[in-house]
Amino acid sequence: MILFSRYLPFVAAMALVVVASNILVQFPMQGAVGGLSLADILTWGAFTYPFSFLVTDLANRRYGPALARRIVFVGFMTAVICSILVPPFLFRQGLIEFETAADRLVRIAAASGTAFLIAQLLDVAVFNRLRRQSWWRAPIVGTLVGSVFDTAVFFTVAFSAAFAFAGPNDGFALETAPLMGVLPIEAMRWVSWALGDLAVKLIIAVVALIPYRLLAARWSQPALAV
């Protein structure tokens, strides 16, 4: 019981981040930067989801990679469940305008779960390899590597025509438009969504070093584990 109580804050934090992200991802970010419409490339979920890497890294720093992997699996299960349940709930509450078909939800859930699992486990592995180096290197490198894979896997599986076998395509996502809405290069809309999402993740990876340093500085370095 005492051991579980030590892990509980990480479990709760991971579940909170994943649930919040699955809700906020339904809402585009309004506003514009120059000629770039933020609603075309970003949702509010892009600002909360990257903190899942912070939770994983803190768990890894405090208790080692074995516990961090358990936290990742909690997040994985939460991500899959929320991807299926949250959109219909928000639609019934009148908070979003469009209802997503069940088979489309399954594809999104598969993309979300797969991306989360791959990215977070990569983060754990990279972090553990670098944990004895400068305090900032393990969290920043692990998060950057995980973020790139998370973005690539999720948006490809969720929206690319190559993964149509996983569920129906999103016609709007497959339409072409200027890259990022402003560049003179035509690309499918989901590519711009992925680039916008990745840009936010990389920025937050740097910002998250502040709470990581403040919290991790209070802990002794755990022994290496596998």
PDB file of all heavy atoms in Angstrom, residues 14-27 43-52 79 82-83 86 90 112 116:
ATOM      1  N   MET A  14      -0.607  11.339 -15.030  1.00  0.00           N
ATOM      2  CA  MET A  14      -0.657  10.853 -16.412  1.00  0.00           C
ATOM      3  C   MET A  14      -2.095  10.760 -16.903  1.00  0.00           C
ATOM      4  O   MET A  14      -2.421  11.188 -18.024  1.00  0.00           O
ATOM      5  CB  MET A  14       0.028   9.494 -16.521  1.00  0.00           C
ATOM      6  CG  MET A  14       0.017   8.907 -17.930  1.00  0.00           C
ATOM      7  SD  MET A  14       0.926   9.934 -19.127  1.00  0.00           S
ATOM      8  CE  MET A  14       2.610   9.392 -18.793  1.00  0.00           C
ATOM      9  N   ALA A  15      -2.980  10.197 -16.082  1.00  0.00           N
ATOM     10  CA  ALA A  15      -4.386  10.079 -16.471  1.00  0.00           C
ATOM     11  C   ALA A  15      -4.995  11.460 -16.705  1.00  0.00           C
ATOM     12  O   ALA A  15      -5.744  11.666 -17.670  1.00  0.00           O
ATOM     13  CB  ALA A  15      -5.166   9.330 -15.397  1.00  0.00           C
ATOM     14  N   LEU A  16      -4.669  12.420 -15.844  1.00  0.00           N
ATOM     15  CA  LEU A  16      -5.206  13.775 -15.983  1.00  0.00           C
ATOM     16  C   LEU A  16      -4.753  14.420 -17.289  1.00  0.00           C
ATOM     17  O   LEU A  16      -5.556  15.016 -18.008  1.00  0.00           O
ATOM     18  CB  LEU A  16      -4.760  14.631 -14.795  1.00  0.00           C
ATOM     19  CG  LEU A  16      -5.201  16.103 -14.820  1.00  0.00           C
ATOM     20  CD1 LEU A  16      -6.724  16.203 -14.801  1.00  0.00           C
ATOM     21  CD2 LEU A  16      -4.596  16.853 -13.638  1.00  0.00           C
ATOM     22  N   VAL A  17      -3.467  14.288 -17.603  1.00  0.00           N
ATOM     23  CA  VAL A  17      -2.937  14.881 -18.835  1.00  0.00           C
ATOM     24  C   VAL A  17      -3.599  14.261 -20.065  1.00  0.00           C
ATOM     25  O   VAL A  17      -4.002  14.971 -20.992  1.00  0.00           O
ATOM     26  CB  VAL A  17      -1.407  14.702 -18.904  1.00  0.00           C
ATOM     27  CG1 VAL A  17      -0.885  15.071 -20.295  1.00  0.00           C
ATOM     28  CG2 VAL A  17      -0.730  15.566 -17.851  1.00  0.00           C
ATOM     29  N   VAL A  18      -3.727  12.940 -20.080  1.00  0.00           N
ATOM     30  CA  VAL A  18      -4.290  12.256 -21.238  1.00  0.00           C
ATOM     31  C   VAL A  18      -5.775  12.589 -21.408  1.00  0.00           C
ATOM     32  O   VAL A  18      -6.237  12.864 -22.525  1.00  0.00           O
ATOM     33  CB  VAL A  18      -4.081  10.736 -21.131  1.00  0.00           C
ATOM     34  CG1 VAL A  18      -4.825  10.008 -22.247  1.00  0.00           C
ATOM     35  CG2 VAL A  18      -2.595  10.403 -21.198  1.00  0.00           C
ATOM     36  N   VAL A  19      -6.528  12.577 -20.313  1.00  0.00           N
ATOM     37  CA  VAL A  19      -7.952  12.911 -20.396  1.00  0.00           C
ATOM     38  C   VAL A  19      -8.138  14.350 -20.852  1.00  0.00           C
ATOM     39  O   VAL A  19      -8.947  14.633 -21.750  1.00  0.00           O
ATOM     40  CB  VAL A  19      -8.641  12.686 -19.033  1.00  0.00           C
ATOM     41  CG1 VAL A  19     -10.070  13.241 -19.063  1.00  0.00           C
ATOM     42  CG2 VAL A  19      -8.677  11.205 -18.690  1.00  0.00           C
ATOM     43  N   ALA A  20      -7.401  15.273 -20.251  1.00  0.00           N
ATOM     44  CA  ALA A  20      -7.510  16.679 -20.633  1.00  0.00           C
ATOM     45  C   ALA A  20      -7.158  16.881 -22.105  1.00  0.00           C
ATOM     46  O   ALA A  20      -7.835  17.631 -22.826  1.00  0.00           O
ATOM     47  CB  ALA A  20      -6.598  17.530 -19.747  1.00  0.00           C
ATOM     48  N   SER A  21      -6.128  16.197 -22.560  1.00  0.00           N
ATOM     49  CA  SER A  21      -5.699  16.340 -23.948  1.00  0.00           C
ATOM     50  C   SER A  21      -6.740  15.810 -24.917  1.00  0.00           C
ATOM     51  O   SER A  21      -6.972  16.397 -25.980  1.00  0.00           O
ATOM     52  CB  SER A  21      -4.360  15.628 -24.163  1.00  0.00           C
ATOM     53  OG  SER A  21      -3.357  16.184 -23.338  1.00  0.00           O
ATOM     54  N   ASN A  22      -7.373  14.697 -24.561  1.00  0.00           N
ATOM     55  CA  ASN A  22      -8.399  14.131 -25.426  1.00  0.00           C
ATOM     56  C   ASN A  22      -9.642  15.018 -25.500  1.00  0.00           C
ATOM     57  O   ASN A  22     -10.371  14.984 -26.491  1.00  0.00           O
ATOM     58  CB  ASN A  22      -8.781  12.729 -24.952  1.00  0.00           C
ATOM     59  CG  ASN A  22      -7.886  11.662 -25.546  1.00  0.00           C
ATOM     60  OD1 ASN A  22      -8.153  11.127 -26.612  1.00  0.00           O
ATOM     61  ND2 ASN A  22      -6.787  11.376 -24.858  1.00  0.00           N
ATOM     62  N   ILE A  23      -9.885  15.787 -24.464  1.00  0.00           N
ATOM     63  CA  ILE A  23     -10.991  16.746 -24.494  1.00  0.00           C
ATOM     64  C   ILE A  23     -10.590  17.984 -25.297  1.00  0.00           C
ATOM     65  O   ILE A  23     -11.300  18.417 -26.215  1.00  0.00           O
ATOM     66  CB  ILE A  23     -11.406  17.149 -23.068  1.00  0.00           C
ATOM     67  CG1 ILE A  23     -12.017  15.943 -22.341  1.00  0.00           C
ATOM     68  CG2 ILE A  23     -12.400  18.312 -23.096  1.00  0.00           C
ATOM     69  CD1 ILE A  23     -12.308  16.197 -20.872  1.00  0.00           C
ATOM     70  N   LEU A  24      -9.425  18.547 -24.967  1.00  0.00           N
ATOM     71  CA  LEU A  24      -9.010  19.806 -25.582  1.00  0.00           C
ATOM     72  C   LEU A  24      -8.657  19.674 -27.063  1.00  0.00           C
ATOM     73  O   LEU A  24      -8.713  20.655 -27.807  1.00  0.00           O
ATOM     74  CB  LEU A  24      -7.820  20.378 -24.808  1.00  0.00           C
ATOM     75  CG  LEU A  24      -8.138  20.825 -23.378  1.00  0.00           C
ATOM     76  CD1 LEU A  24      -6.864  21.238 -22.646  1.00  0.00           C
ATOM     77  CD2 LEU A  24      -9.136  21.964 -23.381  1.00  0.00           C
ATOM     78  N   VAL A  25      -8.290  18.454 -27.484  1.00  0.00           N
ATOM     79  CA  VAL A  25      -7.952  18.266 -28.898  1.00  0.00           C
ATOM     80  C   VAL A  25      -9.169  18.459 -29.801  1.00  0.00           C
ATOM     81  O   VAL A  25      -9.034  18.634 -31.023  1.00  0.00           O
ATOM     82  CB  VAL A  25      -7.332  16.864 -29.124  1.00  0.00           C
ATOM     83  CG1 VAL A  25      -8.406  15.778 -29.114  1.00  0.00           C
ATOM     84  CG2 VAL A  25      -6.533  16.819 -30.419  1.00  0.00           C
ATOM     85  N   GLN A  26     -10.362  18.461 -29.223  1.00  0.00           N
ATOM     86  CA  GLN A  26     -11.582  18.663 -30.002  1.00  0.00           C
ATOM     87  C   GLN A  26     -11.821  20.141 -30.333  1.00  0.00           C
ATOM     88  O   GLN A  26     -12.705  20.458 -31.118  1.00  0.00           O
ATOM     89  CB  GLN A  26     -12.799  18.131 -29.227  1.00  0.00           C
ATOM     90  CG  GLN A  26     -12.653  16.720 -28.710  1.00  0.00           C
ATOM     91  CD  GLN A  26     -12.504  15.695 -29.811  1.00  0.00           C
ATOM     92  OE1 GLN A  26     -13.118  15.815 -30.872  1.00  0.00           O
ATOM     93  NE2 GLN A  26     -11.691  14.677 -29.559  1.00  0.00           N
ATOM     94  N   PHE A  27     -11.007  21.024 -29.746  1.00  0.00           N
ATOM     95  CA  PHE A  27     -11.263  22.455 -29.891  1.00  0.00           C
ATOM     96  C   PHE A  27     -10.090  23.153 -30.566  1.00  0.00           C
ATOM     97  O   PHE A  27      -9.002  23.251 -29.986  1.00  0.00           O
ATOM     98  CB  PHE A  27     -11.528  23.088 -28.524  1.00  0.00           C
ATOM     99  CG  PHE A  27     -12.704  22.479 -27.807  1.00  0.00           C
ATOM    100  CD1 PHE A  27     -12.514  21.477 -26.853  1.00  0.00           C
ATOM    101  CD2 PHE A  27     -13.998  22.868 -28.112  1.00  0.00           C
ATOM    102  CE1 PHE A  27     -13.593  20.900 -26.207  1.00  0.00           C
ATOM    103  CE2 PHE A  27     -15.083  22.296 -27.466  1.00  0.00           C
ATOM    104  CZ  PHE A  27     -14.883  21.313 -26.517  1.00  0.00           C
ATOM    105  N   THR A  43      -4.855  22.562 -32.135  1.00  0.00           N
ATOM    106  CA  THR A  43      -5.948  22.469 -31.170  1.00  0.00           C
ATOM    107  C   THR A  43      -5.345  22.739 -29.790  1.00  0.00           C
ATOM    108  O   THR A  43      -4.122  22.686 -29.608  1.00  0.00           O
ATOM    109  CB  THR A  43      -6.617  21.086 -31.172  1.00  0.00           C
ATOM    110  OG1 THR A  43      -5.699  20.130 -30.617  1.00  0.00           O
ATOM    111  CG2 THR A  43      -7.039  20.676 -32.581  1.00  0.00           C
ATOM    112  N   TRP A  44      -6.200  22.979 -28.816  1.00  0.00           N
ATOM    113  CA  TRP A  44      -5.704  23.238 -27.465  1.00  0.00           C
ATOM    114  C   TRP A  44      -5.046  22.002 -26.863  1.00  0.00           C
ATOM    115  O   TRP A  44      -4.212  22.110 -25.953  1.00  0.00           O
ATOM    116  CB  TRP A  44      -6.841  23.729 -26.579  1.00  0.00           C
ATOM    117  CG  TRP A  44      -7.233  25.141 -26.892  1.00  0.00           C
ATOM    118  CD1 TRP A  44      -8.338  25.566 -27.568  1.00  0.00           C
ATOM    119  CD2 TRP A  44      -6.485  26.323 -26.555  1.00  0.00           C
ATOM    120  NE1 TRP A  44      -8.334  26.945 -27.679  1.00  0.00           N
ATOM    121  CE2 TRP A  44      -7.213  27.427 -27.064  1.00  0.00           C
ATOM    122  CE3 TRP A  44      -5.295  26.557 -25.880  1.00  0.00           C
ATOM    123  CZ2 TRP A  44      -6.775  28.747 -26.909  1.00  0.00           C
ATOM    124  CZ3 TRP A  44      -4.844  27.865 -25.730  1.00  0.00           C
ATOM    125  CH2 TRP A  44      -5.577  28.932 -26.231  1.00  0.00           C
ATOM    126  N   GLY A  45      -5.389  20.834 -27.363  1.00  0.00           N
ATOM    127  CA  GLY A  45      -4.766  19.620 -26.852  1.00  0.00           C
ATOM    128  C   GLY A  45      -3.271  19.558 -27.102  1.00  0.00           C
ATOM    129  O   GLY A  45      -2.544  18.863 -26.376  1.00  0.00           O
ATOM    130  N   ALA A  46      -2.801  20.276 -28.108  1.00  0.00           N
ATOM    131  CA  ALA A  46      -1.372  20.282 -28.413  1.00  0.00           C
ATOM    132  C   ALA A  46      -0.558  20.883 -27.275  1.00  0.00           C
ATOM    133  O   ALA A  46       0.642  20.619 -27.147  1.00  0.00           O
ATOM    134  CB  ALA A  46      -1.115  21.068 -29.695  1.00  0.00           C
ATOM    135  N   PHE A  47      -1.201  21.678 -26.422  1.00  0.00           N
ATOM    136  CA  PHE A  47      -0.489  22.348 -25.341  1.00  0.00           C
ATOM    137  C   PHE A  47      -0.472  21.546 -24.042  1.00  0.00           C
ATOM    138  O   PHE A  47       0.320  21.821 -23.148  1.00  0.00           O
ATOM    139  CB  PHE A  47      -1.107  23.727 -25.088  1.00  0.00           C
ATOM    140  CG  PHE A  47      -0.929  24.672 -26.233  1.00  0.00           C
ATOM    141  CD1 PHE A  47      -1.828  24.693 -27.290  1.00  0.00           C
ATOM    142  CD2 PHE A  47       0.156  25.528 -26.285  1.00  0.00           C
ATOM    143  CE1 PHE A  47      -1.661  25.552 -28.359  1.00  0.00           C
ATOM    144  CE2 PHE A  47       0.342  26.395 -27.355  1.00  0.00           C
ATOM    145  CZ  PHE A  47      -0.568  26.409 -28.398  1.00  0.00           C
ATOM    146  N   THR A  48      -1.349  20.560 -23.931  1.00  0.00           N
ATOM    147  CA  THR A  48      -1.383  19.753 -22.709  1.00  0.00           C
ATOM    148  C   THR A  48      -0.729  18.385 -22.893  1.00  0.00           C
ATOM    149  O   THR A  48      -0.049  17.884 -21.987  1.00  0.00           O
ATOM    150  CB  THR A  48      -2.839  19.553 -22.237  1.00  0.00           C
ATOM    151  OG1 THR A  48      -3.615  18.993 -23.316  1.00  0.00           O
ATOM    152  CG2 THR A  48      -3.448  20.872 -21.810  1.00  0.00           C
ATOM    153  N   TYR A  49      -0.912  17.788 -24.054  1.00  0.00           N
ATOM    154  CA  TYR A  49      -0.395  16.434 -24.277  1.00  0.00           C
ATOM    155  C   TYR A  49       1.112  16.304 -24.040  1.00  0.00           C
ATOM    156  O   TYR A  49       1.559  15.298 -23.459  1.00  0.00           O
ATOM    157  CB  TYR A  49      -0.748  15.968 -25.684  1.00  0.00           C
ATOM    158  CG  TYR A  49      -0.231  14.587 -25.987  1.00  0.00           C
ATOM    159  CD1 TYR A  49      -0.905  13.452 -25.548  1.00  0.00           C
ATOM    160  CD2 TYR A  49       0.963  14.406 -26.688  1.00  0.00           C
ATOM    161  CE1 TYR A  49      -0.420  12.182 -25.809  1.00  0.00           C
ATOM    162  CE2 TYR A  49       1.452  13.140 -26.952  1.00  0.00           C
ATOM    163  CZ  TYR A  49       0.753  12.040 -26.510  1.00  0.00           C
ATOM    164  OH  TYR A  49       1.252  10.783 -26.750  1.00  0.00           O
ATOM    165  N   PRO A  50       1.953  17.268 -24.461  1.00  0.00           N
ATOM    166  CA  PRO A  50       3.400  17.096 -24.253  1.00  0.00           C
ATOM    167  C   PRO A  50       3.806  16.920 -22.795  1.00  0.00           C
ATOM    168  O   PRO A  50       4.880  16.390 -22.509  1.00  0.00           O
ATOM    169  CB  PRO A  50       3.988  18.395 -24.827  1.00  0.00           C
ATOM    170  CG  PRO A  50       2.984  18.834 -25.846  1.00  0.00           C
ATOM    171  CD  PRO A  50       1.661  18.479 -25.248  1.00  0.00           C
ATOM    172  N   PHE A  51       2.949  17.335 -21.860  1.00  0.00           N
ATOM    173  CA  PHE A  51       3.297  17.176 -20.451  1.00  0.00           C
ATOM    174  C   PHE A  51       3.241  15.710 -20.013  1.00  0.00           C
ATOM    175  O   PHE A  51       3.696  15.381 -18.908  1.00  0.00           O
ATOM    176  CB  PHE A  51       2.386  18.042 -19.588  1.00  0.00           C
ATOM    177  CG  PHE A  51       2.744  19.507 -19.662  1.00  0.00           C
ATOM    178  CD1 PHE A  51       2.035  20.362 -20.485  1.00  0.00           C
ATOM    179  CD2 PHE A  51       3.812  20.006 -18.941  1.00  0.00           C
ATOM    180  CE1 PHE A  51       2.377  21.701 -20.569  1.00  0.00           C
ATOM    181  CE2 PHE A  51       4.165  21.343 -19.027  1.00  0.00           C
ATOM    182  CZ  PHE A  51       3.446  22.199 -19.842  1.00  0.00           C
ATOM    183  N   SER A  52       2.710  14.844 -20.874  1.00  0.00           N
ATOM    184  CA  SER A  52       2.777  13.415 -20.559  1.00  0.00           C
ATOM    185  C   SER A  52       4.232  12.949 -20.523  1.00  0.00           C
ATOM    186  O   SER A  52       4.591  12.056 -19.738  1.00  0.00           O
ATOM    187  CB  SER A  52       1.987  12.601 -21.590  1.00  0.00           C
ATOM    188  OG  SER A  52       2.524  12.760 -22.897  1.00  0.00           O
ATOM    189  N   ALA A  79      -5.545   6.640 -22.995  1.00  0.00           N
ATOM    190  CA  ALA A  79      -5.610   7.279 -24.303  1.00  0.00           C
ATOM    191  C   ALA A  79      -6.575   6.549 -25.233  1.00  0.00           C
ATOM    192  O   ALA A  79      -7.373   7.176 -25.937  1.00  0.00           O
ATOM    193  CB  ALA A  79      -4.212   7.325 -24.931  1.00  0.00           C
ATOM    194  N   CYS A  82     -10.268   7.019 -23.891  1.00  0.00           N
ATOM    195  CA  CYS A  82     -10.740   8.396 -24.083  1.00  0.00           C
ATOM    196  C   CYS A  82     -10.965   8.719 -25.560  1.00  0.00           C
ATOM    197  O   CYS A  82     -11.890   9.464 -25.901  1.00  0.00           O
ATOM    198  CB  CYS A  82      -9.746   9.386 -23.484  1.00  0.00           C
ATOM    199  SG  CYS A  82      -9.763   9.447 -21.694  1.00  0.00           S
ATOM    200  N   SER A  83     -10.115   8.182 -26.428  1.00  0.00           N
ATOM    201  CA  SER A  83     -10.265   8.454 -27.861  1.00  0.00           C
ATOM    202  C   SER A  83     -11.601   7.940 -28.387  1.00  0.00           C
ATOM    203  O   SER A  83     -12.152   8.486 -29.340  1.00  0.00           O
ATOM    204  CB  SER A  83      -9.116   7.806 -28.642  1.00  0.00           C
ATOM    205  OG  SER A  83      -7.887   8.393 -28.298  1.00  0.00           O
ATOM    206  N   VAL A  86     -14.627  10.083 -25.482  1.00  0.00           N
ATOM    207  CA  VAL A  86     -14.724  11.537 -25.316  1.00  0.00           C
ATOM    208  C   VAL A  86     -15.473  12.242 -26.448  1.00  0.00           C
ATOM    209  O   VAL A  86     -16.375  13.040 -26.173  1.00  0.00           O
ATOM    210  CB  VAL A  86     -13.318  12.147 -25.117  1.00  0.00           C
ATOM    211  CG1 VAL A  86     -13.363  13.672 -25.271  1.00  0.00           C
ATOM    212  CG2 VAL A  86     -12.781  11.793 -23.738  1.00  0.00           C
ATOM    213  N   LEU A  90     -18.804  14.629 -25.860  1.00  0.00           N
ATOM    214  CA  LEU A  90     -18.819  16.071 -26.121  1.00  0.00           C
ATOM    215  C   LEU A  90     -19.891  16.439 -27.135  1.00  0.00           C
ATOM    216  O   LEU A  90     -20.535  17.498 -27.030  1.00  0.00           O
ATOM    217  CB  LEU A  90     -17.440  16.525 -26.618  1.00  0.00           C
ATOM    218  CG  LEU A  90     -16.283  16.397 -25.618  1.00  0.00           C
ATOM    219  CD1 LEU A  90     -14.982  16.858 -26.261  1.00  0.00           C
ATOM    220  CD2 LEU A  90     -16.564  17.202 -24.359  1.00  0.00           C
ATOM    221  N   SER A 112      -3.925   6.862 -31.693  1.00  0.00           N
ATOM    222  CA  SER A 112      -3.551   7.489 -30.432  1.00  0.00           C
ATOM    223  C   SER A 112      -2.795   6.525 -29.533  1.00  0.00           C
ATOM    224  O   SER A 112      -1.737   6.851 -28.981  1.00  0.00           O
ATOM    225  CB  SER A 112      -4.810   7.998 -29.723  1.00  0.00           C
ATOM    226  OG  SER A 112      -4.498   8.573 -28.481  1.00  0.00           O
ATOM    227  N   PHE A 116       1.192   6.830 -28.679  1.00  0.00           N
ATOM    228  CA  PHE A 116       1.533   7.058 -27.280  1.00  0.00           C
ATOM    229  C   PHE A 116       2.501   5.999 -26.775  1.00  0.00           C
ATOM    230  O   PHE A 116       3.528   6.318 -26.156  1.00  0.00           O
ATOM    231  CB  PHE A 116       0.256   7.054 -26.433  1.00  0.00           C
ATOM    232  CG  PHE A 116       0.488   7.375 -24.986  1.00  0.00           C
ATOM    233  CD1 PHE A 116       0.395   8.673 -24.531  1.00  0.00           C
ATOM    234  CD2 PHE A 116       0.811   6.373 -24.083  1.00  0.00           C
ATOM    235  CE1 PHE A 116       0.627   8.979 -23.193  1.00  0.00           C
ATOM    236  CE2 PHE A 116       1.035   6.666 -22.742  1.00  0.00           C
ATOM    237  CZ  PHE A 116       0.945   7.974 -22.301  1.00  0.00           C
TER     238      PHE A 116
END
